[in-house]
Coordinates of all heavy atoms in Angstrom, one line a residue:
M153 N 21.2 96.0 82.8 CA 22.1 94.9 82.4 C 21.7 94.5 81.0 O 20.5 94.2 80.7 CB 21.9 93.7 83.4 CG 22.8 92.6 83.1 SD 22.7 91.5 84.5 CE 23.7 90.2 83.9
N154 N 22.6 94.4 80.1 CA 22.4 94.1 78.7 C 22.7 92.6 78.5 O 23.8 92.2 78.6 CB 23.2 95.0 77.8 CG 22.9 94.8 76.4 OD1 21.9 94.2 76.0 ND2 23.7 95.4 75.5
L155 N 21.6 91.8 78.2 CA 21.8 90.4 77.9 C 21.8 90.2 76.4 O 20.9 90.5 75.7 CB 20.7 89.6 78.5 CG 20.7 89.5 80.1 CD1 19.5 88.7 80.5 CD2 22.0 88.8 80.5
N156 N 22.9 89.6 76.0 CA 23.0 89.3 74.6 C 22.8 87.8 74.4 O 23.5 87.0 75.0 CB 24.4 89.7 74.0 CG 24.5 89.6 72.5 OD1 23.6 89.1 71.9 ND2 25.6 90.0 72.0
L157 N 21.8 87.4 73.6 CA 21.5 86.0 73.4 C 22.6 85.2 72.8 O 22.8 84.0 73.1 CB 20.2 85.8 72.7 CG 18.9 86.2 73.4 CD1 17.7 86.1 72.5 CD2 18.7 85.4 74.6
A158 N 23.4 85.8 71.9 CA 24.5 85.2 71.2 C 25.6 84.8 72.3 O 26.1 83.7 72.2 CB 25.0 86.0 70.1
D159 N 25.8 85.7 73.2 CA 26.8 85.4 74.2 C 26.4 84.3 75.2 O 27.1 83.4 75.6 CB 27.1 86.7 75.0 CG 27.9 87.7 74.2 OD1 28.5 87.3 73.2 OD2 27.8 88.9 74.6
L160 N 25.1 84.3 75.5 CA 24.5 83.3 76.3 C 24.6 81.9 75.6 O 25.0 80.9 76.3 CB 23.1 83.6 76.7 CG 22.4 82.7 77.7 CD1 23.1 82.7 79.0 CD2 20.9 83.1 77.8
E161 N 24.3 81.8 74.4 CA 24.4 80.6 73.6 C 25.8 80.1 73.5 O 26.1 78.9 73.6 CB 23.8 80.7 72.2 CG 23.7 79.4 71.5 CD 23.0 79.6 70.1 OE1 22.2 80.5 70.0 OE2 23.4 78.8 69.2
L162 N 26.7 81.0 73.3 CA 28.1 80.7 73.3 C 28.6 80.1 74.6 O 29.4 79.2 74.6 CB 29.0 81.9 72.9 CG 30.5 81.7 72.7 CD1 30.7 80.8 71.5 CD2 31.1 83.1 72.5
Q163 N 28.2 80.7 75.7 CA 28.6 80.2 77.0 C 28.0 78.8 77.2 O 28.7 77.9 77.8 CB 28.1 81.1 78.1 CG 28.8 82.4 78.2 CD 28.2 83.4 79.2 OE1 27.1 83.1 79.7 NE2 28.9 84.5 79.5
Q164 N 26.8 78.6 76.8 CA 26.2 77.2 77.0 C 26.9 76.2 76.1 O 27.1 75.1 76.6 CB 24.7 77.3 76.6 CG 23.8 78.0 77.5 CD 22.4 78.1 77.1 OE1 22.1 77.9 75.9 NE2 21.5 78.5 78.0
R165 N 27.3 76.6 74.9 CA 28.1 75.6 74.1 C 29.4 75.4 74.7 O 29.9 74.3 74.6 CB 28.2 76.2 72.7 CG 26.9 76.1 71.9 CD 27.1 76.4 70.4 NE 25.8 76.5 69.7 CZ 25.2 75.4 69.2 NH1 25.8 74.3 69.2 NH2 24.1 75.6 68.5
A166 N 30.1 76.4 75.2 CA 31.4 76.2 75.9 C 31.3 75.3 77.1 O 32.1 74.4 77.3 CB 32.0 77.6 76.3
I167 N 30.2 75.4 77.8 CA 30.0 74.5 79.0 C 29.8 73.1 78.5 O 30.3 72.2 79.1 CB 28.9 75.1 79.9 CG1 29.3 76.3 80.6 CG2 28.4 74.0 80.9 CD1 28.2 77.1 81.3
A168 N 29.0 73.0 77.5 CA 28.7 71.6 76.9 C 30.0 71.0 76.4 O 30.2 69.8 76.6 CB 27.6 71.7 75.8
L169 N 30.8 71.8 75.7 CA 32.1 71.3 75.2 C 33.0 70.9 76.3 O 33.6 69.8 76.3 CB 32.7 72.3 74.3 CG 34.0 71.9 73.6 CD1 33.8 70.7 72.7 CD2 34.7 73.0 72.9
A170 N 33.1 71.7 77.4 CA 34.0 71.4 78.5 C 33.5 70.1 79.2 O 34.3 69.2 79.6 CB 34.0 72.5 79.5
S171 N 32.2 70.0 79.4 CA 31.6 68.8 80.1 C 31.8 67.6 79.2 O 32.1 66.5 79.7 CB 30.2 69.0 80.5 OG 29.4 69.2 79.4
S172 N 31.7 67.7 77.9 CA 31.9 66.6 77.0 C 33.4 66.1 77.1 O 33.6 64.9 77.1 CB 31.5 67.0 75.6 OG 31.8 66.0 74.7
L173 N 34.3 67.1 77.1 CA 35.7 66.7 77.2 C 36.0 66.0 78.6 O 36.8 65.1 78.6 CB 36.6 67.9 77.1 CG 36.7 68.4 75.6 CD1 37.5 69.7 75.6 CD2 37.4 67.4 74.8
A174 N 35.3 66.5 79.6 CA 35.5 65.9 80.9 C 35.0 64.4 80.9 O 35.6 63.5 81.5 CB 34.8 66.7 82.0
I175 N 33.8 64.2 80.3 CA 33.3 62.9 80.1 C 34.2 62.0 79.4 O 34.5 60.8 79.8 CB 31.9 62.9 79.4 CG1 30.9 63.5 80.3 CG2 31.5 61.5 79.0 CD1 29.5 63.8 79.7
L176 N 34.8 62.5 78.3 CA 35.8 61.7 77.5 C 37.0 61.3 78.4 O 37.5 60.2 78.3 CB 36.2 62.5 76.3 CG 35.2 62.5 75.2 CD1 35.6 63.4 74.0 CD2 34.9 61.1 74.6
V177 N 37.6 62.3 79.1 CA 38.8 62.1 79.8 C 38.6 61.1 81.0 O 39.3 60.1 81.1 CB 39.4 63.4 80.3 CG1 40.5 63.1 81.4 CG2 39.9 64.2 79.2
I178 N 37.5 61.3 81.7 CA 37.2 60.4 82.9 C 36.8 59.1 82.4 O 37.2 58.0 82.9 CB 36.1 61.1 83.8 CG1 36.6 62.3 84.4 CG2 35.6 60.1 84.8 CD1 35.6 63.1 85.1
G179 N 36.0 59.0 81.3 CA 35.6 57.7 80.7 C 36.8 56.9 80.2 O 36.8 55.7 80.3
W180 N 37.7 57.6 79.6 CA 38.9 57.0 79.0 C 39.7 56.3 80.2 O 40.2 55.2 80.1 CB 39.8 58.0 78.3 CG 41.0 57.4 77.6 CD1 42.2 57.0 78.1 CD2 41.1 57.1 76.2 NE1 43.0 56.5 77.2 CE2 42.3 56.5 76.0 CE3 40.2 57.2 75.1 CZ2 42.7 56.1 74.7 CZ3 40.6 56.8 73.9 CH2 41.8 56.3 73.7
M181 N 39.9 57.1 81.3 CA 40.6 56.5 82.4 C 39.9 55.4 83.0 O 40.5 54.3 83.4 CB 40.8 57.6 83.5 CG 41.8 58.7 83.0 SD 42.3 59.9 84.3 CE 40.7 60.6 84.8
L182 N 38.5 55.5 83.2 CA 37.8 54.3 83.8 C 37.8 53.1 82.9 O 37.9 52.0 83.3 CB 36.3 54.8 84.0 CG 36.1 55.7 85.2 CD1 34.7 56.2 85.3 CD2 36.6 55.1 86.5
A183 N 37.7 53.3 81.5 CA 37.7 52.2 80.6 C 39.1 51.5 80.7 O 39.2 50.3 80.6 CB 37.4 52.7 79.2
T184 N 40.2 52.3 80.7 CA 41.5 51.7 80.9 C 41.6 50.9 82.2 O 42.2 49.8 82.2 CB 42.6 52.8 80.8 OG1 42.4 53.5 79.5 CG2 44.0 52.2 80.8
W185 N 41.1 51.5 83.2 CA 41.2 50.8 84.5 C 40.4 49.5 84.5 O 40.8 48.5 85.0 CB 40.7 51.8 85.6 CG 40.6 51.1 87.0 CD1 41.6 50.9 87.9 CD2 39.4 50.5 87.5 NE1 41.1 50.2 88.9 CE2 39.7 50.0 88.8 CE3 38.1 50.4 87.1 CZ2 38.8 49.3 89.6 CZ3 37.2 49.7 87.9 CH2 37.5 49.2 89.1
A186 N 39.2 49.5 83.9 CA 38.4 48.3 83.8 C 39.1 47.3 83.0 O 39.0 46.1 83.3 CB 37.0 48.7 83.2
G187 N 39.7 47.6 81.9 CA 40.5 46.7 81.1 C 41.6 46.0 81.8 O 41.8 44.8 81.8
V188 N 42.3 46.8 82.6 CA 43.4 46.3 83.4 C 42.8 45.4 84.5 O 43.4 44.3 84.8 CB 44.2 47.4 84.0 CG1 45.2 46.9 85.1 CG2 45.0 48.2 82.9
A189 N 41.7 45.8 85.1 CA 41.1 44.9 86.2 C 40.7 43.6 85.6 O 40.8 42.6 86.3 CB 39.9 45.7 86.8
V190 N 40.1 43.6 84.4 CA 39.7 42.3 83.8 C 40.9 41.5 83.5 O 40.9 40.2 83.7 CB 38.8 42.6 82.5 CG1 38.7 41.3 81.7 CG2 37.5 43.2 82.9
R191 N 42.0 42.1 83.0 CA 43.2 41.3 82.7 C 43.8 40.7 84.0 O 44.2 39.6 84.0 CB 44.2 42.3 82.0 CG 45.4 41.5 81.4 CD 46.3 42.5 80.8 NE 45.7 43.2 79.7 CZ 45.7 42.9 78.4 NH1 46.4 41.9 78.0 NH2 45.1 43.7 77.5
K192 N 43.8 41.5 85.1 CA 44.4 41.0 86.3 C 43.5 39.9 86.9 O 44.0 38.9 87.4 CB 44.5 42.1 87.3 CG 45.7 43.0 87.0 CD 45.8 44.1 88.1 CE 47.0 45.0 87.8 NZ 47.1 46.1 88.8
A193 N 42.2 40.1 86.8 CA 41.3 39.0 87.3 C 41.4 37.8 86.5 O 41.3 36.7 87.1 CB 39.8 39.6 87.3
G194 N 41.5 37.9 85.2 CA 41.7 36.7 84.4 C 43.0 36.0 84.6 O 43.1 34.8 84.5
A195 N 44.0 36.8 84.9 CA 45.3 36.2 85.2 C 45.3 35.4 86.5 O 46.0 34.4 86.7 CB 46.4 37.2 85.2
R196 N 44.6 35.9 87.5 CA 44.5 35.2 88.8 C 43.6 34.0 88.8 O 43.8 33.1 89.6 CB 44.0 36.2 89.8 CG 45.1 37.1 90.4 CD 44.5 38.0 91.5 NE 43.7 39.0 90.7 CZ 42.8 39.8 91.3 NH1 42.5 39.7 92.6 NH2 42.1 40.7 90.6
S197 N 42.6 34.0 87.9 CA 41.7 32.9 87.8 C 42.3 31.7 87.2 O 43.0 31.7 86.2 CB 40.4 33.3 87.0 OG 39.6 32.2 86.9
R198 N 42.1 30.5 87.8 CA 42.7 29.3 87.2 C 41.7 28.7 86.2 O 42.1 27.8 85.5 CB 43.0 28.3 88.3 CG 41.8 27.8 89.1 CD 42.2 26.9 90.2 NE 41.0 26.5 90.9 CZ 40.8 25.2 91.1 NH1 41.6 24.3 90.7 NH2 39.7 24.8 91.7
W199 N 40.5 29.3 86.1 CA 39.5 28.7 85.1 C 39.5 29.5 83.8 O 38.9 29.0 82.9 CB 38.1 28.8 85.7 CG 38.0 28.0 87.0 CD1 37.9 28.5 88.3 CD2 38.0 26.6 87.1 NE1 37.9 27.4 89.1 CE2 37.9 26.2 88.4 CE3 38.0 25.5 86.2 CZ2 37.8 24.9 88.9 CZ3 37.9 24.2 86.6 CH2 37.8 24.0 88.0
S200 N 40.2 30.6 83.7 CA 40.2 31.3 82.4 C 41.3 30.9 81.5 O 42.4 30.5 82.0 CB 40.2 32.8 82.7 OG 41.5 33.2 83.3
S201 N 41.1 31.0 80.3 CA 42.1 30.7 79.3 C 43.0 31.8 79.1 O 42.6 33.0 78.9 CB 41.4 30.3 77.9 OG 42.4 30.2 76.9
P202 N 44.4 31.6 79.1 CA 45.3 32.7 78.9 C 45.2 33.4 77.5 O 45.5 34.6 77.4 CB 46.7 32.1 79.0 CG 46.4 30.7 79.6 CD 45.0 30.3 79.3
T203 N 44.6 32.7 76.6 CA 44.5 33.4 75.2 C 43.2 34.2 75.2 O 43.2 35.2 74.4 CB 44.4 32.3 74.1 OG1 43.3 31.4 74.4 CG2 45.7 31.6 74.0
L204 N 42.2 34.0 76.0 CA 41.0 34.7 76.0 C 41.0 35.9 76.9 O 40.2 36.8 76.7 CB 39.8 33.8 76.3 CG 39.5 32.8 75.3 CD1 38.3 31.9 75.7 CD2 39.2 33.4 73.9
V205 N 41.9 36.0 77.9 CA 41.9 37.1 78.8 C 42.2 38.4 78.1 O 41.5 39.4 78.4 CB 43.0 36.8 80.0 CG1 43.2 38.0 80.8 CG2 42.5 35.6 80.8
P206 N 43.2 38.5 77.3 CA 43.4 39.8 76.6 C 42.2 40.2 75.7 O 41.9 41.4 75.6 CB 44.6 39.6 75.7 CG 45.3 38.4 76.3 CD 44.3 37.6 76.9
L207 N 41.5 39.2 75.1 CA 40.4 39.5 74.3 C 39.3 40.1 75.2 O 38.7 41.1 74.8 CB 39.9 38.2 73.6 CG 38.5 38.4 72.9 CD1 38.7 39.2 71.6 CD2 38.0 37.0 72.6
F208 N 39.0 39.5 76.3 CA 37.9 40.0 77.2 C 38.3 41.4 77.7 O 37.4 42.3 77.9 CB 37.6 39.0 78.3 CG 36.9 37.8 77.8 CD1 37.2 36.6 78.3 CD2 35.9 37.9 76.9 CE1 36.6 35.4 77.9 CE2 35.2 36.8 76.5 CZ 35.5 35.6 77.0
A209 N 39.6 41.6 78.0 CA 40.0 42.9 78.6 C 39.8 44.0 77.5 O 39.3 45.1 77.8 CB 41.5 42.8 79.0
K210 N 40.2 43.7 76.3 CA 40.0 44.6 75.2 C 38.6 44.9 74.9 O 38.2 46.0 74.6 CB 40.8 44.2 73.9 CG 41.0 45.3 72.9 CD 42.0 44.9 71.9 CE 43.4 45.1 72.6 NZ 44.2 46.0 72.0
L211 N 37.8 43.8 74.9 CA 36.3 44.0 74.6 C 35.7 44.9 75.7 O 34.8 45.7 75.4 CB 35.6 42.7 74.6 CG 35.8 41.9 73.3 CD1 35.1 40.5 73.4 CD2 35.2 42.6 72.1
T212 N 36.1 44.7 77.0 CA 35.6 45.5 78.1 C 36.0 47.0 77.9 O 35.1 47.9 78.0 CB 36.2 45.0 79.4 OG1 35.8 43.7 79.6 CG2 35.7 45.9 80.6
R213 N 37.2 47.2 77.5 CA 37.7 48.6 77.3 C 37.0 49.2 76.1 O 36.5 50.4 76.2 CB 39.2 48.6 77.1 CG 39.8 50.0 77.0 CD 41.3 49.9 77.0 NE 41.8 51.2 76.9 CZ 42.2 51.8 75.7 NH1 42.0 51.1 74.6 NH2 42.6 53.0 75.7
M214 N 36.9 48.5 75.0 CA 36.3 49.1 73.8 C 34.8 49.3 74.0 O 34.2 50.3 73.6 CB 36.5 48.2 72.6 CG 37.9 48.2 72.1 SD 38.4 49.8 71.6 CE 40.2 49.7 72.0
G215 N 34.1 48.4 74.7 CA 32.7 48.6 75.0 C 32.4 49.9 75.9 O 31.5 50.6 75.6
L216 N 33.3 50.0 76.9 CA 33.1 51.2 77.7 C 33.5 52.5 77.0 O 32.8 53.5 77.2 CB 34.0 51.1 79.0 CG 33.5 50.1 80.0 CD1 34.5 49.9 81.2 CD2 32.1 50.5 80.6
L217 N 34.5 52.4 76.1 CA 34.8 53.6 75.4 C 33.7 54.0 74.4 O 33.5 55.2 74.1 CB 36.1 53.4 74.6 CG 37.4 53.5 75.4 CD1 38.6 53.1 74.6 CD2 37.6 54.8 76.1
L218 N 33.0 53.0 73.9 CA 31.9 53.3 73.0 C 30.8 54.0 73.7 O 30.2 55.0 73.2 CB 31.4 52.0 72.4 CG 30.3 52.1 71.3 CD1 30.8 52.8 70.1 CD2 29.8 50.7 71.0
V219 N 30.5 53.5 74.9 CA 29.4 54.2 75.8 C 29.9 55.6 76.1 O 29.0 56.5 76.1 CB 29.2 53.3 77.0 CG1 28.3 54.1 78.0 CG2 28.5 52.0 76.6
V220 N 31.1 55.8 76.4 CA 31.6 57.1 76.8 C 31.5 58.1 75.6 O 31.1 59.2 75.7 CB 33.1 57.0 77.3 CG1 33.8 58.4 77.4 CG2 33.1 56.4 78.7
A221 N 31.9 57.6 74.4 CA 31.9 58.4 73.2 C 30.4 58.8 72.9 O 30.2 60.0 72.6 CB 32.5 57.7 72.0
V222 N 29.5 57.9 73.0 CA 28.1 58.2 72.7 C 27.6 59.2 73.8 O 26.8 60.1 73.4 CB 27.3 56.9 72.7 CG1 25.8 57.3 72.6 CG2 27.6 56.1 71.5
S223 N 28.0 59.0 75.0 CA 27.6 60.0 76.1 C 28.1 61.4 75.8 O 27.4 62.4 76.0 CB 28.0 59.5 77.4 OG 27.5 58.3 77.7
A224 N 29.4 61.5 75.4 CA 29.9 62.8 75.1 C 29.3 63.4 73.9 O 29.0 64.6 73.9 CB 31.4 62.6 74.8
L225 N 28.9 62.6 72.9 CA 28.2 63.2 71.7 C 26.8 63.7 72.1 O 26.4 64.7 71.6 CB 28.1 62.1 70.6 CG 29.4 61.9 69.8 CD1 29.1 60.7 68.9 CD2 29.8 63.1 69.1
E226 N 26.2 62.9 73.0 CA 24.8 63.3 73.4 C 24.9 64.6 74.2 O 24.1 65.5 74.1 CB 24.2 62.2 74.2 CG 22.7 62.5 74.5 CD 22.0 61.3 75.0 OE1 22.5 60.2 74.8 OE2 20.9 61.5 75.5
K227 N 26.0 64.8 75.0 CA 26.1 66.0 75.8 C 26.4 67.2 74.9 O 26.0 68.3 75.2 CB 27.3 65.8 76.7 CG 27.5 67.0 77.7 CD 26.4 67.0 78.7 CE 26.6 68.1 79.7 NZ 25.4 68.2 80.6
L228 N 26.9 67.0 73.7 CA 27.2 68.1 72.7 C 25.9 68.4 71.9 O 25.9 69.4 71.2 CB 28.3 67.7 71.8 CG 29.7 67.7 72.3 CD1 30.7 67.2 71.3 CD2 30.0 69.1 72.8
G229 N 24.9 67.6 72.1 CA 23.6 67.8 71.4 C 23.4 67.0 70.1 O 22.5 67.3 69.4
V230 N 24.2 66.0 69.9 CA 24.1 65.2 68.7 C 23.0 64.2 69.0 O 23.0 63.6 70.1 CB 25.4 64.5 68.4 CG1 25.3 63.5 67.2 CG2 26.5 65.5 68.1
Q231 N 22.1 64.0 68.0 CA 21.1 62.9 68.2 C 21.7 61.6 68.1 O 22.3 61.2 67.0 CB 20.0 63.1 67.1 CG 19.2 64.4 67.2 CD 18.3 64.3 68.5 OE1 17.9 63.3 68.9 NE2 18.1 65.5 69.0
T232 N 21.6 60.8 69.1 CA 22.3 59.5 69.1 C 21.4 58.3 68.9 O 21.9 57.2 68.9 CB 23.0 59.3 70.5 OG1 22.0 59.4 71.5 CG2 24.1 60.3 70.7
S233 N 20.1 58.5 68.7 CA 19.2 57.4 68.5 C 19.5 56.7 67.2 O 19.5 55.4 67.1 CB 17.8 57.9 68.5 OG 17.6 58.8 67.5
G234 N 19.9 57.4 66.1 CA 20.3 56.8 64.9 C 21.6 56.0 65.0 O 21.8 55.0 64.4
L235 N 22.5 56.6 65.8 CA 23.8 55.9 66.0 C 23.6 54.6 66.8 O 24.2 53.6 66.5 CB 24.7 56.9 66.8 CG 26.1 56.5 67.1 CD1 26.8 56.3 65.8 CD2 26.8 57.5 68.0
F236 N 22.7 54.6 67.8 CA 22.4 53.4 68.5 C 21.8 52.3 67.6 O 22.2 51.1 67.6 CB 21.5 53.6 69.7 CG 22.1 54.1 70.9 CD1 21.7 55.3 71.5 CD2 23.2 53.4 71.5 CE1 22.4 55.7 72.6 CE2 23.8 53.8 72.6 CZ 23.4 55.0 73.2
A237 N 20.9 52.7 66.7 CA 20.4 51.8 65.7 C 21.4 51.2 64.8 O 21.4 50.0 64.5 CB 19.3 52.5 64.9
A238 N 22.3 52.1 64.3 CA 23.4 51.6 63.4 C 24.3 50.7 64.2 O 24.8 49.6 63.6 CB 24.1 52.8 62.8
L239 N 24.7 51.0 65.4 CA 25.6 50.1 66.2 C 24.9 48.8 66.5 O 25.6 47.8 66.5 CB 26.0 50.8 67.5 CG 26.9 52.0 67.4 CD1 27.1 52.7 68.7 CD2 28.3 51.5 66.8
G240 N 23.6 48.8 66.8 CA 22.9 47.6 67.0 C 22.9 46.7 65.8 O 23.1 45.5 65.8
A241 N 22.7 47.3 64.6 CA 22.7 46.5 63.4 C 24.1 46.0 63.1 O 24.2 44.8 62.6 CB 22.2 47.4 62.2
A242 N 25.1 46.8 63.3 CA 26.5 46.3 63.1 C 26.8 45.2 64.0 O 27.5 44.3 63.6 CB 27.4 47.5 63.2
G243 N 26.4 45.3 65.3 CA 26.7 44.2 66.2 C 26.0 42.9 65.8 O 26.6 41.9 66.0
L244 N 24.8 43.0 65.4 CA 24.1 41.8 64.9 C 24.8 41.2 63.7 O 25.0 40.0 63.7 CB 22.6 42.2 64.5 CG 21.8 41.0 64.0 CD1 21.6 40.0 65.1 CD2 20.4 41.6 63.5
A245 N 25.2 42.0 62.7 CA 25.9 41.5 61.6 C 27.2 40.9 62.0 O 27.6 39.8 61.5 CB 26.1 42.6 60.6
L246 N 27.9 41.5 62.9 CA 29.2 41.0 63.3 C 29.0 39.7 64.1 O 29.8 38.7 63.9 CB 29.9 42.0 64.2 CG 31.3 41.7 64.6 CD1 32.2 41.7 63.4 CD2 31.8 42.7 65.6
G247 N 28.0 39.6 64.9 CA 27.7 38.4 65.7 C 27.4 37.2 64.7 O 27.8 36.1 64.9
L248 N 26.5 37.5 63.7 CA 26.2 36.5 62.8 C 27.4 36.0 62.0 O 27.5 34.9 61.6 CB 25.0 36.9 61.9 CG 23.7 37.0 62.6 CD1 22.6 37.6 61.7 CD2 23.2 35.7 63.2
A249 N 28.2 37.0 61.6 CA 29.4 36.7 60.8 C 30.4 35.8 61.6 O 31.1 35.0 61.0 CB 30.0 37.9 60.3
L250 N 30.6 36.1 62.8 CA 31.6 35.4 63.7 C 31.0 34.2 64.4 O 31.7 33.7 65.3 CB 32.2 36.4 64.6 CG 33.0 37.6 64.0 CD1 33.5 38.5 65.1 CD2 34.2 37.0 63.3
K251 N 29.8 33.8 64.2 CA 29.2 32.8 64.9 C 30.0 31.5 64.8 O 30.3 30.8 65.8 CB 27.8 32.5 64.4 CG 27.0 31.4 65.0 CD 25.7 31.2 64.5 CE 25.8 30.8 63.0 NZ 24.6 30.2 62.4
D252 N 30.4 31.1 63.6 CA 31.2 29.8 63.5 C 32.6 30.0 64.0 O 33.1 29.0 64.6 CB 31.3 29.5 62.0 CG 29.9 29.1 61.4 OD1 29.0 28.7 62.2 OD2 29.7 29.3 60.2
T253 N 33.2 31.1 63.9 CA 34.5 31.3 64.4 C 34.5 31.3 66.0 O 35.4 30.6 66.6 CB 35.1 32.7 64.0 OG1 35.0 32.8 62.6 CG2 36.5 32.9 64.5
V254 N 33.5 31.9 66.6 CA 33.4 31.8 68.0 C 33.2 30.4 68.5 O 33.7 30.0 69.5 CB 32.4 32.8 68.5 CG1 32.1 32.6 70.0 CG2 32.8 34.2 68.2
A255 N 32.4 29.7 67.8 CA 32.1 28.3 68.1 C 33.4 27.4 68.0 O 33.6 26.6 68.9 CB 31.0 27.7 67.2
D256 N 34.2 27.7 67.0 CA 35.5 27.0 66.9 C 36.4 27.3 68.0 O 37.1 26.4 68.6 CB 36.1 27.3 65.5 CG 35.3 26.7 64.4 OD1 34.5 25.8 64.6 OD2 35.6 27.1 63.2
V257 N 36.5 28.6 68.4 CA 37.3 29.0 69.5 C 36.9 28.4 70.8 O 37.7 27.9 71.6 CB 37.4 30.5 69.6 CG1 38.0 31.0 70.9 CG2 38.1 31.1 68.4
A258 N 35.5 28.4 71.0 CA 35.0 27.7 72.2 C 35.3 26.2 72.3 O 35.6 25.7 73.3 CB 33.5 28.0 72.3
A259 N 35.2 25.6 71.1 CA 35.5 24.2 71.1 C 37.0 23.9 71.4 O 37.4 23.0 72.0 CB 35.1 23.6 69.7
G260 N 37.9 24.8 70.9 CA 39.3 24.7 71.1 C 39.6 24.9 72.6 O 40.5 24.2 73.1
V261 N 38.9 25.8 73.2 CA 39.1 26.0 74.7 C 38.7 24.8 75.5 O 39.3 24.4 76.5 CB 38.4 27.3 75.1 CG1 38.4 27.4 76.6 CG2 39.0 28.5 74.5
V262 N 37.6 24.2 75.1 CA 37.1 23.0 75.8 C 38.1 21.9 75.7 O 38.3 21.1 76.7 CB 35.7 22.7 75.3 CG1 35.2 21.3 75.9 CG2 34.7 23.7 75.7
L263 N 38.7 21.7 74.5 CA 39.6 20.6 74.3 C 40.8 20.9 75.2 O 41.4 20.1 75.8 CB 40.0 20.5 72.9 CG 38.9 20.0 71.9 CD1 39.4 20.0 70.5 CD2 38.4 18.6 72.3

């Protein structure tokens, strides 16, 4: 039996690509389902603000899609530690930039 290392590596990369695509497709469906579930739960709740429900639904969906994308990249062999550091720094910068805006929105909801 003649084993060619190039063919073996090609097969491993094809399997990694197929599993990465499966992660993306299943993750996309789950993220969409979670966004819809948050929207329905917010619509049924009498304590939630109708203006914030779509925001929370979209944040849920986008957060899950981000996790799915990073998981798919890691399955392909991409080093994701630097990506996590950059996303953390971006999240911190965004949180600090939107601090006053979020406080104003929360005050408006309380009123």
Side-chain angles (χ1 to χ4, degrees):
M153 184 170 176
N154 187 9
L155 288 177
N156 190 355
L157 289 176
D159 290 339
L160 185 61
E161 185 176 332
L162 183 64
Q163 288 175 351
Q164 288 175 344
R165 289 192 186 269
I167 290 171
L169 182 64
S171 60
S172 178
L173 285 174
I175 288 171
L176 285 173
V177 169
I178 292 170
W180 188 280
M181 290 188 303
L182 287 175
T184 302
W185 175 81
V188 169
V190 167
R191 190 179 303 263
K192 285 182 180 179
R196 278 183 285 166
S197 173
R198 62 185 183 125
W199 299 106
S200 64
S201 171
T203 57
L204 292 179
V205 170
L207 173 70
F208 288 138
K210 194 162 287 241
L211 283 175
T212 301
R213 184 172 180 267
M214 290 299 151
L216 288 174
L217 285 176
L218 185 66
V219 170
V220 166
V222 170
S223 298
L225 284 175
E226 190 166 342
K227 187 67 176 172
L228 286 175
V230 176
Q231 292 293 328
T232 57
S233 58
L235 184 62
F236 277 124
L239 288 174
L244 178 66
L246 187 64
L248 289 174
L250 293 177
K251 180 179 65 165
D252 294 332
T253 305
V254 171
D256 291 343
V257 168
V261 169
V262 170
L263 291 178

